Amino acid sequence: MFEPYETTREHGTGLGLAIVKKIMLDHGGEVFVGASEQLVGARFEVRLRMARGERPLAREPM
């Protein structure tokens, strides 16, 4: 899914998720994909490190 040029769309380039993953890794983050528990389709989870001294925000249920 995160491989470049992999697409199921007629006019797609297949670069979107590959670029997202590269940016996340470059910034010490992670990106995960799984099945949505509430909706039909995929669920993406993006995680980035917090800056030193920052406190976590309240997390909304997905």
Side-chain angles (χ1 to χ4, degrees):
M1 178 169 289
F2 294 101
E3 292 298 315
Y5 309 111
E6 186 177 311
T7 184
T8 59
R9 296 183 179 178
E10 185 177 342
H11 299 290
T13 62
L15 293 175
L17 290 175
I19 291 170
V20 168
K21 184 174 182 180
K22 174 78 169 108
I23 291 169
M24 294 303 297
L25 293 175
D26 287 351
H27 292 277
E30 301 171 303
V31 59
F32 302 97
V33 63
S36 173
E37 295 172 9
Q38 294 139 348
L39 302 171
V40 175
R43 174 178 167 252
F44 288 85
E45 186 171 331
V46 175
R47 295 181 185 182
L48 287 170
R49 293 185 206 163
M50 292 188 322
R52 265 189 207 139
E54 294 291 321
R55 288 194 287 191
L57 299 173
R59 184 175 177 186
E60 294 184 27
M62 295 181 90

